[in-house]
Amino acid sequence: MRFHMNGSSDDNEIVATTASAEHMRKFVFNSFGNPETIIERLEIKIPEILQGAYSFYTWPSAPVLAHFLWERRQTLVCKRILELGAGTALPGILAAKCGAQVVLSDNCILPKSLAHIRKSCLANQLNPGVDIDVVGLSWGLLLNSVFRLPPLDLIIAADCFYDPTVFEDIIVTVAFLLERNRGAKFIFTYQERSADWSIEALLKKWKLHASSINMDEIGKQSGVDLLEFMGGHTIHLLEITLVDQERVEDLVE
């Protein structure tokens, strides 16, 4: 799958290419005071390897989640955020650049993926271990690395539900983290690949509640058409919370 690009734009483009199919991808996030005046601008550079593993490429769900976060950047300041299955880590890096305390995570048995995340951080002047943290986790297995995570306000992920064989592992991990961090939420984007794939039964089993987030307004503040990022794919944005947490919020409202 190749990412759909707008060849007429200078933003969100490939800015460097090497013979090894590695390049630096540029994503630009703007905020307009009026249709012609940019009042805020953030540029994030992501190294990609098109012929590498899944985690070395920025899939369409990632910039969608990143723009959702960008348009809520004031709420990210000092928030404690974990990105699951970070890959090239675009959403998590954006959150860190907007003032959040971010932990980027990926599979603990894939050291090259973790090294690539660190490379993405350094490309954006974020020093791993100082400005941002990078850790290896194993979905579904509550190893020491999970217990060593700091308190969390928000968990994010872009397209982590790409393989049905790991759906329950992800849900188990999320359920544990939400139970451990009462009040936290899991917000994620995913690309629809099959109408037969569902996490509904798993959510019920692990006492989680999912709600869809309306995507109609995402990108408008930045002058971005999300369809350009989606490349013809169907992408959803959801929020998952604990079932009892949802009930408490309903009572408060």
Side-chain angles (χ1 to χ4, degrees):
M1 180 192 307
R2 292 192 61 84
F3 203 97
H4 176 75
M5 304 297 297
N6 184 349
S8 62
S9 172
D10 291 332
D11 294 344
N12 307 312
E13 64 183 358
I14 295 172
V15 296
T17 305
T18 68
S20 63
E22 180 175 347
H23 64 247
M24 191 71 74
R25 182 83 170 279
K26 182 178 73 172
F27 295 87
V28 176
F29 301 85
N30 294 316
S31 178
F32 291 88
N34 59 54
E36 297 182 355
T37 304
I38 297 175
I39 57 175
E40 286 187 74
R41 177 183 175 91
L42 175 63
E43 179 180 305
I44 296 178
K45 294 179 180 179
I46 298 294
E48 294 184 330
I49 303 174
L50 294 181
Q51 297 175 358
Y54 292 133
S55 59
F56 299 157
Y57 177 75
T58 307
W59 297 89
S61 292
V64 173
L65 179 59
H67 274 283
F68 173 81
L69 295 173
W70 169 250
E71 294 177 355
R72 290 153 184 81
R73 59 195 174 278
Q74 292 86 356
T75 68
L76 300 179
V77 178
C78 295
K79 283 291 190 296
R80 300 162 299 184
I81 298 176
L82 168 68
E83 182 173 4
L84 294 175
T88 59
L90 173 62
I93 287 173
L94 179 137
K97 299 294 282 188
C98 291
Q101 301 170 22
V102 177
V103 178
L104 303 172
S105 70
D106 215 316
N107 197 320
C108 61
I109 64 171
L110 297 176
K112 289 184 179 180
S113 294
L114 295 171
H116 195 79
I117 292 175
R118 295 185 183 96
K119 187 175 182 179
S120 292
C121 294
L122 292 172
N124 294 282
Q125 296 76 52
L126 294 172
N127 190 6
V130 178
D131 307 306
I132 195 167
D133 289 315
V134 180
V135 301
L137 297 180
S138 182
W139 294 339
L141 295 176
L142 302 181
L143 304 178
N144 288 338
S145 56
V146 176
F147 289 93
R148 287 198 298 265
L149 289 171
L152 300 170
D153 300 304
L154 179 64
I155 304 164
I156 60 174
D159 211 11
C160 61
F161 292 99
Y162 60 86
D163 179 357
T165 64
V166 299
F167 283 6
E168 186 158 21
D169 291 339
I170 299 169
I171 293 297
V172 168
T173 303
V174 169
F176 174 80
L177 291 172
L178 292 179
E179 183 65 39
R180 192 175 173 87
N181 298 273
R182 289 282 175 154
K185 299 178 179 181
F186 175 41
I187 295 178
F188 66 100
T189 47
Y190 78 94
Q191 179 178 316
E192 186 176 311
R193 292 180 171 85
S194 171
D196 297 328
W197 293 2
S198 173
I199 60 172
E200 185 175 353
L202 293 173
L203 293 174
K204 184 176 181 180
K205 176 179 177 180
W206 293 99
K207 297 180 173 58
L208 299 174
H209 171 81
S211 56
S212 180
I213 299 175
N214 190 304
M215 296 173 54
D216 292 345
E217 299 300 314
I218 300 175
K220 290 186 178 180
Q221 294 180 24
S222 306
V224 169
D225 182 358
L226 285 188
L227 294 178
E228 292 185 7
F229 292 107
M230 294 182 184
H233 302 290
T234 300
I235 293 176
H236 303 276
L237 176 63
L238 281 85
E239 174 185 292
I240 288 180
T241 56
L242 295 172
V243 166
D244 57 348
Q245 177 180 318
E246 183 72 18
R247 289 173 179 167
V248 169
E249 290 177 353
D250 288 343
L251 289 173
V252 172
E253 292 175 357

